[in-house]
Amino acid sequence: MDRVDSTARRVVLVTGASRSIGAETARRLAAPDVHVVINYREKSKRAQAVVDDIIAAGGSASAIGADLASTADVTAMVGQIGEQFGRLDAVVLNASGGLERDAEPGYALRINRDAQVRLTGLVVPLMPPGGRIVFVTSHQAHFHSTGRALPEGYEPIAASKRAGEDALRALIPEFGTRGIEFVVVSGDMVDGTIIVRLLERRDPGAVAARRSTGQLPTLDQFADAIVQALDAPVPDGHTVYIGGDDYLIPST
């Protein structure tokens, strides 16, 4: 595969970017000086549509299929990025899972913790000083230890996402030796996402309860926050909160 001269472009990988939050985040990165790598697991046509949207908007993009739970897939994807671009300036760790009805026991932890750590370990050697890793999570996961009630079936996802965040935070000293920054973006249930639609089928009361606390953040608002987090001048380990103000009120 021919190597691409990307010296004038920032190279950004967005995982789980064929739809929803990942896709909208990728579209917002469209710019002449940015190349967006769209990671997807199965939906190649959807991923290509995101690529086409970015190109139509004057940006540059490509898609790579890889199941993040597969060591072989992820190794091949990172190898392809290294071969084509020689570096990776930023990573948005958006892909997650475990809410699927046919998910195997333990899958949530494998995809939301183990896969995130494995991918991060593979991409870090490609990242120059000043690079940034953004981990995308939910308030239900980020505040998991507070003991708040969770929607039916969401406990394994919340616990595993929090475990993934903790595992990545533990790597901040290593990131620092390379000049790489780490930021978390946490959001309340996000209107317009597949997760909210799935939760409404399983536990409509839980979604209604969140709506009763205030307007849920939109897909556009959340994607904008992720893009801003790629460059915001914040300290390592900083968490950006979107929606769910009640989560931010200290318990008494």
Side-chain angles (χ1 to χ4, degrees):
M1 186 174 295
D2 294 337
R3 186 183 180 92
V4 175
D5 182 5
S6 60
T7 54
R9 286 181 177 153
R10 185 185 194 189
V11 183
V12 182
L13 168 65
V14 183
T15 66
S18 65
R19 65 180 181 182
S20 196
I21 293 168
E24 291 307 313
T25 299
R27 290 187 180 102
R28 279 162 171 72
L29 289 169
D33 59 349
V34 177
H35 183 91
V36 187
V37 180
I38 307 298
N39 159 253
Y40 66 94
R41 187 179 65 174
E42 298 175 332
K43 308 297 185 181
S44 60
K45 289 184 179 179
R46 289 183 182 179
Q48 188 57 48
V50 178
V51 169
D52 293 343
D53 288 345
I54 292 171
I55 293 173
S60 174
S62 56
I64 304 179
D67 181 351
L68 298 193
S70 165
T71 300
D73 278 12
V74 173
T75 301
M77 176 179 70
V78 176
Q80 183 175 337
I81 292 170
E83 184 178 350
Q84 284 189 275
F85 305 105
R87 73 173 198 284
L88 188 56
D89 298 290
V91 179
V92 177
L93 296 173
N94 166 73
S96 64
L99 197 59
E100 303 87 347
R101 288 192 181 275
D102 59 349
E104 301 173 6
Y107 175 72
L109 198 60
R110 291 199 300 274
I111 187 66
N112 296 328
R113 183 195 64 187
D114 301 346
Q116 310 300 320
V117 173
R118 178 169 53 242
L119 173 58
T120 300
L122 290 170
V123 299
V124 159
L126 288 178
M127 300 183 73
R132 180 168 287 191
I133 298 168
V134 174
F135 180 71
V136 179
T137 190
S138 67
H139 288 355
Q140 289 75 24
H142 181 73
F143 292 98
H144 179 255
S145 64
T146 62
R148 282 175 174 258
L150 293 168
E152 179 185 346
Y154 199 73
E155 166 62 31
I157 293 85
S160 59
K161 286 283 287 184
R162 182 66 225 197
E165 179 180 338
D166 289 343
L168 291 169
R169 286 184 182 277
L171 296 174
I172 288 176
E174 179 183 339
F175 298 154
T177 64
R178 296 173 176 269
I180 297 169
E181 301 164 337
F182 177 75
V183 177
V184 172
V185 178
S186 178
D188 199 355
M189 293 181 185
V190 179
D191 255 337
T193 62
I194 185 64
I195 292 295
V196 169
R197 291 197 292 273
L198 289 173
L199 290 176
E200 283 181 319
R201 294 175 192 169
R202 289 188 173 203
D203 190 351
V207 179
R210 289 311 305 151
R211 293 188 191 281
S212 71
T213 65
Q215 187 173 6
L216 297 181
T218 66
L219 188 60
D220 289 346
Q221 289 171 332
F222 198 51
D224 282 341
I226 295 170
V227 171
Q228 292 169 15
L230 285 168
D231 294 301
V234 294
D236 272 350
H238 177 75
T239 303
V240 177
Y241 297 105
I242 307 299
D245 290 346
D246 57 307
Y247 277 94
L248 309 181
I249 300 173
S251 58
T252 56

